[in-house]
């Protein structure tokens, strides 16, 4: 999707109280070259990002995304972002998103330019792709080995496993592998057989009437959509929880979904050719909730 808007941010420290950060923003032509060739984000994928869904001009779950940006920065030893500065950038960006229909705002914080300004940061806005098919017809998934054990995040923090880094080449390769195997999407599992997440989404399963998702214990991202949906489900009287899920437990699920900020809730129709039931009514109610204005 072509970018509609781009804003370069001159990052300030978290102690800067502003209150108005407009002077640190520079609107640029989103179709013109903008990055220095010395950018470490492009040379090494050394940076972090967030993708915020926008519905009818309203950026969804901004606070949760800003908090995860700060969490990722901490894991990656990047300078702590000033969340009020980023919030103001999101507010400006949202005015350039489609005011009817869906859009996406991306926040990018890069290590910066080698021997140059560091860190560097920018925000982009685009219209969202049409995700109706995934939401209504669902997705077939295959499980793919992520190549590490359930304990690895604790013993090897330099793998940056809980951070949303710009290094998504592995995630994109997993999606291509899933398509080669005739599926629409993948679910990463640990080499010792536990469920993690999809390459661009969290997994939620309903097992014995309870909604469960893998614990975000450092090996996966803590999804803002999953958090929001669990709060909604709890307010409706459903039981939710975090669990260590063996891969085989997915076959006991009476329904499962991949959830993420832009595609929202996509019901899983099959896991490794094992057909799963789809609760079309519940899925539609999830997406109605996820499309309602959420802060
Ligand atoms: N896990 C990964 C690896 C992701 O890339 C994403 C979103 O892009 C998610 C989970 C879901 O996160 P969110 O619901 O905040 O979009």
């Amino acid at each position: 999707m072509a970018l509609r808007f781009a804003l370069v941010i001159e990052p300030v420290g978290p102690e800067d109280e502003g209150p108005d950060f407009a002077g640190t923003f520079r609107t640029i032509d989103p179709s013109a070259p903008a990055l220095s060739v010395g950018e470490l984000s492009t040379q090494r994928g050394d940076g972090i990002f967030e993708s915020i869904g926008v519905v009818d001009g309203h950026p969804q779950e901004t606070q949760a995304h800003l908090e995860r940006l700060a969490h990722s920065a901490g894991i990656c030893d990047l300078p702590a972002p000033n969340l009020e500065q980023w919030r103001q950038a999101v507010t400006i960006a949202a005015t350039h998103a489609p005011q009817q229909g869906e859009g996406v705002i991306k926040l990018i914080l890069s290590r910066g330019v080698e021997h140059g300004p560091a860190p560097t940061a920018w925000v982009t806005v685009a219209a969202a792709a049409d995700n109706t098919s995934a939401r209504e017809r669902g997705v077939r998934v295959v499980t793919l080995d992520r190549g590490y054990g359930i304990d690895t995040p604790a013993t090897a923090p330099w793998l940056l496993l809980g951070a949303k880094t710009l290094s998504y080449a592995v995630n994109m390769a997993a999606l291509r592998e899933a398509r080669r195997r005739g599926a629409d999407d993948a679910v990463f599992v640990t080499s010792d057989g536990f469920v993690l997440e999809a390459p661009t989404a969290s997994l939620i399963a309903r097992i014995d009437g309870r909604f469960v998702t893998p614990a975000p214990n450092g090996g996966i991202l803590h999804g803002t959509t999953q958090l929001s949906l669990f709060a909604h489900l709890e307010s409706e009287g459903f039981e939710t929880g975090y669990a260590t899920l063996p891969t085989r437990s997915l076959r006991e699920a009476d329904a499962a979904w991949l959830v993420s900020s832009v595609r929202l809730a996509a019901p899983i129709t099959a896991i490794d050719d094992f057909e799963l039931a789809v609760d079309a009514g519940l899925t539609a109610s999830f997406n109605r909730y996820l499309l309602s204005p959420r802060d």
Side-chain angles (χ1 to χ4, degrees):
M1 229 28 104
L3 296 182
R4 299 164 62 109
F5 177 74
L7 188 74
V8 172
I9 299 178
E10 195 183 306
V12 298
E15 65 294 337
D16 191 330
E17 290 177 3
D20 179 1
F21 291 101
T24 65
F25 302 145
R26 185 166 48 90
T27 304
I28 58 167
D29 176 350
S31 61
L35 295 182
S36 157
V37 289
E39 250 299 323
L40 293 169
S41 57
T42 52
Q43 289 187 41
R44 296 185 178 150
D46 196 353
I48 55 174
F49 77 107
E50 285 295 321
S51 295
I52 302 179
V54 187
V55 180
D56 297 338
H58 181 81
Q60 303 281 55
E61 299 287 341
T62 301
Q63 182 62 19
H65 282 285
L66 294 178
E67 283 170 11
R68 193 170 61 189
L69 186 77
H71 180 69
S72 297
I75 294 174
C76 295
D77 299 320
L78 283 163
N82 182 309
L83 297 193
E84 180 52 29
Q85 183 189 30
W86 284 88
R87 187 189 320 282
Q88 291 180 19
V90 170
T91 302
I92 294 169
T95 65
H96 296 269
Q99 300 301 296
Q100 283 181 341
E102 296 172 53
V104 53
I105 296 176
K106 265 196 173 194
L107 316 181
I108 295 136
L109 174 60
S110 153
R111 182 85 50 199
V113 178
E114 201 163 16
H115 315 300
T120 48
W122 62 98
V123 171
T124 63
V125 182
D130 181 358
N131 286 300
T132 313
S133 168
R135 290 174 195 166
E136 292 181 358
R137 284 203 279 281
V139 288
R140 296 181 75 84
V141 304
V142 286
T143 54
L144 295 181
D145 186 351
R146 187 67 178 80
Y148 56 80
I150 189 92
D151 292 336
T152 304
T155 55
W158 50 88
L159 295 180
L160 310 178
L161 291 171
K164 193 165 168 71
T165 76
L166 288 167
S167 313
Y168 259 47
V170 166
N171 304 46
M172 297 299 109
L175 289 178
R176 290 194 299 277
E177 179 62 23
R179 284 179 197 129
R180 267 193 292 274
R181 297 186 186 193
D184 307 300
D185 211 322
V187 169
F188 284 133
V189 296
T190 63
S191 15
D192 42 1
F194 295 97
V195 181
L196 290 167
E197 62 186 344
T200 64
S202 314
L203 180 140
I204 297 175
R206 189 177 62 195
I207 301 176
D208 293 333
R210 180 168 178 257
F211 293 89
V212 289
T213 195
N217 53 5
I220 59 172
L221 290 190
H222 201 174
T224 60
T225 317
Q226 171 266 311
L227 267 170
S228 174
L229 200 51
F230 269 24
H232 171 68
L233 284 166
E234 282 156 27
S235 75
E236 302 266 293
F238 292 103
E239 199 188 332
T240 66
Y242 294 93
T244 304
L245 293 172
T247 309
R248 65 177 181 284
S249 69
L250 293 181
R251 294 184 172 219
E252 288 148 29
D254 48 53
W257 297 264
L258 295 185
V259 303
S260 52
S261 296
V262 180
R263 192 171 63 179
L264 306 181
I268 298 178
T269 58
I271 299 176
D272 295 334
D273 289 332
F274 180 87
E275 305 290 325
L276 258 162
V278 168
D279 188 332
L282 189 60
T283 303
S285 80
F286 283 1
N287 282 318
R288 268 196 306 278
Y289 164 70
L290 294 170
L291 286 165
S292 68
R294 292 177 291 127
D295 286 318

